[in-house]
């Protein structure tokens, strides 16, 4: 029984140390311009095609926002229809978390 307690105490100390290290190395969250990032802009920033960004959002391997069709989340490429418009929302904070890019809004 005392081995279990010692093991738990050791695990807790390790967890506390990891938490301290993570907190010390966290960078503050920057301020972002209001609104969302256009797909075309995100594609340009990442050097990818807009369709790559859209597919990544829908399939979930690019966790920077979400896609909707008639107010419902789109989670599969099979839901894409040529006669229906999918809306893409790219959240500036999520984009920053993945890419390090700080959205300042449209230039000009």
């Amino acid at each position: 029984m005392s081995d279990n307690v010692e093991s738990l105490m050791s695990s807790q100390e390790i967890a506390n140390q990891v938490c301290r290290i993570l907190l010390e190395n966290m960078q503050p969250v920057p301020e972002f311009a209001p609104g969302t990032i256009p797909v075309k802009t995100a594609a340009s920033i990442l050097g990818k095609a807009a369709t790559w960004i859209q597919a990544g959002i829908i399939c979930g391997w690019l966790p920077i926002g979400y896609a909707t069709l008639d107010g419902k989340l789109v989670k599969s490429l099979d839901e894409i229809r040529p006669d229906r418009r999918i809306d893409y929302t790219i959240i500036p904070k999520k984009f920053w978390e993945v890419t390090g890019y700080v959205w300042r809004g449209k230039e000009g």
Side-chain angles (χ1 to χ4, degrees):
M1 180 98 162
S2 67
D3 288 340
N4 286 341
V5 172
E6 287 178 18
S7 176
L8 286 173
M9 290 180 67
S10 177
S11 296
Q12 183 65 40
E13 289 172 14
I14 292 169
N16 286 341
Q17 181 65 21
V18 169
C19 286
R20 272 197 263 7
I21 291 169
L22 289 173
L23 288 172
E24 289 171 2
N25 292 315
M26 285 181 59
Q27 60 184 162
V29 176
E31 287 191 35
F32 305 101
T36 63
I37 301 173
V39 170
K40 184 177 179 180
T41 301
S44 176
I45 291 166
L46 295 177
K48 301 289 185 181
T51 53
W52 187 88
I53 301 292
Q54 293 166 333
I57 291 170
I58 289 172
C59 295
W61 47 260
L62 187 58
I64 59 173
Y66 55 91
T68 57
L69 176 63
D70 295 330
K72 296 180 182 177
L73 283 179
V74 177
K75 295 186 176 185
S76 168
L77 296 177
D78 294 333
E79 297 177 59
I80 296 173
R81 300 285 180 262
D83 61 334
R84 306 296 299 269
R85 184 173 188 269
I86 294 177
D87 294 310
Y88 295 89
T89 300
I90 299 177
I91 302 164
K93 184 178 181 213
K94 288 183 179 256
F95 192 77
W96 169 75
E97 288 170 348
V98 171
T99 67
Y101 181 86
V102 178
W103 173 244
R104 301 286 185 207
K106 293 182 180 181
E107 294 184 18

